[in-house]
Amino acid sequence: MAAEMALAKSISISKLGNYPKPRIPQTKFFRISMSATSSKPDTKSSSNKGAKKGIKESLLTPRFYTTDFDEMETLFNTDINKNLNEAEFEALLQEFKTDYNQTHFVRNKDFKEAADKMQGPMRQIFVEFLERSCTAEFSGFLLYKELGRRLKKTNPVVAEIFSLMSRDEARHAGFLNKGLSDFNLALDLGFLTKARKYTFFKPKFIFYATYLSEKIGYWRYITIYRHLKNNPEYQLYPIFKYFENWCQDENRHGDFFSALMKAQPQFLNDWKAKLWSRFFCLSVYVTMYLNDCQRSAFYEGIGLDAKEFDMHVIIETNRTTARIFPAVLDVENPEFKRKLDRMVEINTKLLAIGDTDDSGFVKNLKRIPLIAALASELLAAYLMKPIDSGSVDLAEFETQLVY
Amino acid sequence: MAMNLAAASFTSWPVCRPRTTTNHRLYHHQHNTHKPNISLLHHQHSILSLPHRTTTRAATTVDSSVPLQQEQPSSKKYYFVVANAKFMLDEEEHFQEQLAERVRLFEERNMEQDFWLVIEPKFLDKFPKITSRLKRPAVALVSTNGPWITFMKLRLDRVLCDSFEADSVDEALTSNPAKLQFEKPETWVAPYPKYESGWWESFLYANSEKQVA
């Protein structure tokens, strides 16, 4: 899961009560990483061998999620909800049990060699990339693991799919963390589990958000993979060679959320659903765009232009999302990109204020007009004429469709 | 040992999701009709587990003490999704990746391929409701694995699906070959080239046969 959702948090949809964090999972792999938890958060990379580290928090860091598990149980209780398309879930279960990537994530000596060759600023940029990716995957692991546990009684099939998806995410996070070990680092995932803040989303928002996260994750990975396949001179680190098979997992995870939403048509078929769909699309796309523009050096390092890369990913994700969300944004309208670019400019200025020597009060004062400008760009983008969309299994336009 | 992952066990897998809510009950009903037939249940279960385990489980079904009601009919059920060729082969690039991934899996696990692409399939003549809504030339993805086709319908969404029975693969997958050429997209902004036209050839039934021969 590529958690590109931070912005939705900052706009703060819902802060409802104290919902439980997922339990700390007791799988073998993660117990190892929890064993020596002495580091504090924000201890930035000392290059000690095997140093475990926390992660520097900012508005755009990948987040951990929690949800209303009781409501989830009710939603997928087959006695209550007769809309559950069991054939679709059984089919998904088969697909996940097949476990296409059971033997895919095997490392070789090229990893360490490539890491050793990487020096200077690129080394630091790479480490950050691995950390963020690992956190995002691990975030998916925690959420899915807990959902798998909680839904076992009311819907064993859906529960098992969640567990199998957490298997994938654990694999991905573990592989990325091993990548960090090539740089003599390791993310302390056990510590992260306990120490990081969890963002609460109601189930329906979890569906929109994780669907988008998974699908955008697929498009990011496959785009990097296909680009590097064509331009092997930018293949700085072998992890990218694994992306083709890897991202098929992300894509399948997205399909599962698609099925979950189809089983809850109330989240797809009214005007509110359309507004939320647009809102989540916008949050996810903008978060990614701002994030990646701050890290253009990473993309340059692997031969990509961050903005072009992101626009491609946004357009493709949006096309995919139009297969299920009842409305999506008109991201192919050039005006949408112009708005994104203005947001990048504003965000750059905002970040610059943080780096000055002004007092906190002065900084905040200087930020006000910029935040207002950012908000108005966001609102304008949100209000652009949307595109009606949806799965042909539900959409009204289906009867006119020619396949 | 070559294994056929699908088996003929999904004789009544509800491949398509009807737009009504009766689907739910229908599905349960079909489950029940299978209960007396233990070997079928075994199959159904085994495809849901890891294929390498499937091998041993499938073997145990032989000495089932419950007699089969009848000899298995020689005809098999084929499930399909279908849409116009441009959608299937030109626009949905992830589709190519999925097929390649599945071929890789089947090779790794020594399983017999049970899915094929068919250009302009003959069996469409039996489905006037589908053909009346279909742009031509059309391309179908056909498999004996019903649940997998249900999954592919979920993924591709803009496809029609159904199933039919046929006595042999050859009969099931007969096609009226059409020359497929897609125009280059006007704008191609991806930082990589498109998959080469013709990528689908190795997934066509005729070709997979040649490879075996």
Side-chain angles (χ1 to χ4, degrees), chain A residues 181-324:
Chain A
S181 75
D182 298 328
F183 297 84
N184 303 323
L185 292 164
L187 264 189
D188 190 338
L189 298 172
F191 175 76
L192 278 184
T193 309
K194 283 179 273 180
R196 290 203 73 203
K197 285 196 199 106
Y198 284 73
T199 302
F200 174 83
F201 275 143
K202 280 168 78 65
K204 83 161 164 178
F205 301 135
I206 287 280
F207 298 152
Y208 299 137
T210 38
Y211 173 85
L212 282 166
S213 274
E214 297 288 2
K215 290 294 183 184
I216 212 167
Y218 163 75
W219 281 110
R220 289 172 62 82
Y221 283 21
I222 197 67
T223 302
I224 292 175
Y225 175 84
R226 290 178 69 178
H227 156 72
L228 289 177
K229 198 168 182 215
N230 249 334
N231 303 282
E233 69 274 22
Y234 290 108
Q235 187 80 256
L236 299 183
Y237 185 63
I239 205 159
F240 302 119
K241 291 181 185 162
Y242 292 71
F243 274 17
E244 187 184 32
N245 291 355
W246 183 327
C247 69
Q248 307 304 324
D249 287 342
E250 317 288 349
N251 212 347
R252 274 186 285 272
H253 294 179
D255 296 330
F256 173 57
F257 284 102
S258 204
L260 288 181
M261 286 187 275
K262 282 161 94 175
Q264 307 292 339
Q266 73 275 19
F267 298 157
L268 294 173
N269 60 11
D270 61 5
W271 60 273
K272 277 187 286 183
K274 288 188 176 189
L275 293 181
W276 282 120
S277 295
R278 287 157 63 190
F279 173 80
F280 274 89
C281 284
L282 185 65
S283 305
V284 169
Y285 303 158
V286 170
T287 305
M288 179 177 78
Y289 204 78
L290 296 184
N291 254 327
D292 288 348
C293 287
Q294 276 178 49
R295 291 169 183 76
S296 52
F298 170 76
Y299 294 94
E300 265 167 46
I302 56 169
L304 283 167
D305 175 282
K307 286 187 171 183
E308 280 173 21
F309 168 76
D310 272 29
M311 261 337 277
H312 167 67
V313 168
I314 288 171
I315 287 169
E316 293 293 353
T317 306
N318 205 57
R319 283 181 189 165
T320 307
T321 306
R323 306 278 164 83
I324 183 71

Side-chain angles (χ1 to χ4, degrees), chain A residues 116-166:
Chain A
D116 288 343
K117 259 188 234 156
M118 222 183 291
Q119 291 304 331
M122 199 55 195
R123 190 176 170 90
Q124 191 50 46
I125 291 168
F126 236 84
V127 164
E128 197 202 11
F129 161 76
L130 291 172
E131 280 173 4
R132 293 174 62 90
S133 307
C134 182
T135 312
E137 299 276 11
F138 187 66
S139 152
F141 164 76
L142 287 176
L143 180 68
Y144 299 162
K145 182 90 186 163
E146 184 66 8
L147 281 164
R149 197 179 71 81
R150 290 292 297 264
L151 296 175
K152 226 177 226 165
K153 272 197 195 123
T154 47
N155 195 326
V157 173
V158 166
E160 192 173 1
I161 297 173
F162 270 121
S163 300
L164 291 169
M165 294 202 318
S166 75

Side-chain angles (χ1 to χ4, degrees), chain B residues 19-207:
Chain B
R19 286 165 65 90
T20 59
T21 48
T22 53
N23 182 41
H24 177 70
R25 205 182 312 137
L26 188 71
Y27 175 68
H28 264 297
H29 171 69
Q30 285 166 342
H31 242 306
N32 293 338
T33 56
H34 274 260
K35 267 199 178 129
N37 189 332
I38 287 202
S39 86
L40 279 182
L41 272 182
H42 259 292
H43 269 295
Q44 192 130 17
H45 189 76
S46 63
I47 69 101
L48 291 176
S49 47
L50 292 174
H52 66 263
R53 270 188 233 140
T54 316
T55 331
T56 46
R57 286 220 193 148
T60 63
T61 61
V62 178
D63 56 33
S64 157
S65 55
V66 178
L68 291 175
Q69 292 151 338
Q70 288 261 299
E71 273 286 288
Q72 286 288 310
S74 63
S75 79
K76 259 191 187 177
K77 196 136 187 175
Y78 293 84
Y79 302 83
F80 67 89
V81 291
V82 66
N84 66 80
K86 178 142 180 72
F87 176 83
M88 297 287 276
L89 305 181
D90 193 46
E91 292 172 1
E92 300 293 297
E93 291 212 299
H94 58 104
F95 182 48
Q96 190 263 22
E97 292 156 24
Q98 271 183 298
L99 295 185
E101 181 191 44
R102 200 159 171 85
V103 163
R104 167 189 59 88
L105 178 95
F106 276 49
E107 278 169 7
E108 276 174 13
R109 298 188 186 168
N110 221 358
M111 298 185 298
E112 196 183 309
Q113 193 173 323
D114 63 1
F115 59 95
W116 307 270
L117 287 176
V118 186
I119 298 169
E120 275 296 306
K122 267 241 162 64
F123 66 74
L124 282 179
D125 298 344
K126 289 184 267 184
F127 297 94
K129 274 192 181 158
I130 286 181
T131 48
S132 67
R133 305 193 59 188
L134 201 56
K135 269 180 261 174
R136 311 303 276 262
V139 169
L141 170 67
V142 187
S143 174
T144 49
N145 186 333
W148 186 62
I149 291 293
T150 302
F151 169 72
M152 290 308 296
K153 159 67 184 145
L154 173 69
R155 163 66 63 84
L156 294 166
D157 194 68
R158 265 81 171 143
V159 289
L160 295 162
C161 53
D162 212 321
S163 62
F164 61 93
E165 293 205 13
D167 290 333
S168 71
V169 180
D170 288 323
E171 183 199 319
L173 305 180
T174 314
S175 80
N176 305 309
K179 182 101 180 110
L180 297 181
Q181 252 178 343
F182 305 110
E183 277 173 31
K184 285 222 162 102
E186 280 170 31
T187 50
W188 181 259
V189 291
Y192 49 74
K194 236 176 132 52
Y195 289 128
E196 296 239 354
S197 179
W199 64 260
W200 52 83
E201 272 156 28
S202 65
F203 303 104
L204 297 177
Y205 174 62
N207 279 25

Side-chain angles (χ1 to χ4, degrees), chain B residues 3-14:
Chain B
M3 274 285 308
N4 187 339
L5 182 76
S9 49
F10 301 102
T11 39
S12 53
W13 179 264

